[in-house]
Amino acid sequence: MVKYLVFCVLLASGYLVYSNFPVNHGPGITAKGEPKIARLTWQEPFTFKGATFTPKRIIDAEVRIIKKKRYFFDSFSKYSPVDAVVGWNELSDSRNLDYIYFQLGEREFELNLTRPPLSVPKIYDESDLWHLIPSTTEIDKRIKSLRDGEIIKVGGLLVDISNGSDYELTTNTELSESTKPTGFIVWIEDFHIR
């Protein structure tokens, strides 16, 4: 019995170490091109887990996961179990990311720089905070298993969320060169990891 418990603890520990160990792609740009955000002809709001989702834009993107955080207990975690700071172009290159530290928590991110290899506006221009909302249980599993450094391809919608009197969240709908504290609320319909 003790051997079995030790084996289970070792197995769980191994998984936790693996899932928190970043993927190393080596130097070079790993996600070229900025996310494509397109206007949406009016689409009727829909409900999901008791909240109303109002589609605002279509998003199609290939980005690098710079930093991700899993949430379990906040009121938004039943919709978005994972937030991620994502980057593209120069912000998908490990040579630049080695000098830029993103701290993610409480559904916001902070940026700390040691010796910035890029200008601060460029860093904000090529990175964003995404609140990932899976549309299916299969996508939910893959999102929860994400690791820092992975390259993801995402297709879906940018949405506003209203949950009665609890909260109303508004998504960003355009890329910009300044800090974006609220981030993008991404309803994910198509999801691939490479």
Side-chain angles (χ1 to χ4, degrees), residues 6-73:
V6 169
F7 175 75
C8 289
V9 168
L10 288 174
L11 190 65
S13 300
Y15 175 75
L16 286 173
V17 168
Y18 169 78
S19 64
N20 288 308
F21 196 75
V23 175
N24 184 3
H25 293 282
I29 293 173
T30 54
K32 295 181 181 178
E34 66 183 25
K36 295 174 183 66
I37 298 174
R39 293 211 174 267
L40 180 68
T41 54
W42 188 82
Q43 185 171 333
E44 190 166 333
F46 59 93
T47 57
F48 178 70
K49 295 183 179 179
T52 301
F53 288 63
T54 305
K56 293 296 185 181
R57 298 280 190 276
I58 298 169
I59 187 167
D60 182 32
E62 185 173 70
V63 294
R64 178 177 179 149
I65 302 292
I66 298 173
K67 185 89 170 169
K68 59 103 177 142
K69 181 170 174 70
R70 176 91 188 266
Y71 293 91
F72 296 93
F73 303 113

Side-chain angles (χ1 to χ4, degrees), residues 25 28-35 61-66 86-94 97 126 149-153 194:
H25 293 282
I29 293 173
T30 54
K32 295 181 181 178
E34 66 183 25
E62 185 173 70
V63 294
R64 178 177 179 149
I65 302 292
I66 298 173
V86 299
W88 55 91
N89 292 334
E90 297 292 330
L91 262 290
S92 70
D93 188 337
S94 296
L97 294 173
E126 295 184 0
E150 287 187 314
I151 310 302
I152 60 170
K153 183 163 177 47
R194 74 166 173 89

Side-chain angles (χ1 to χ4, degrees), residues 156-175:
L157 300 168
L158 300 179
V159 295
D160 291 343
I161 302 176
S162 174
N163 186 10
S165 59
D166 288 343
Y167 53 79
E168 289 193 21
L169 300 172
T170 303
T171 185
N172 287 337
T173 55
E174 294 181 2
L175 305 174

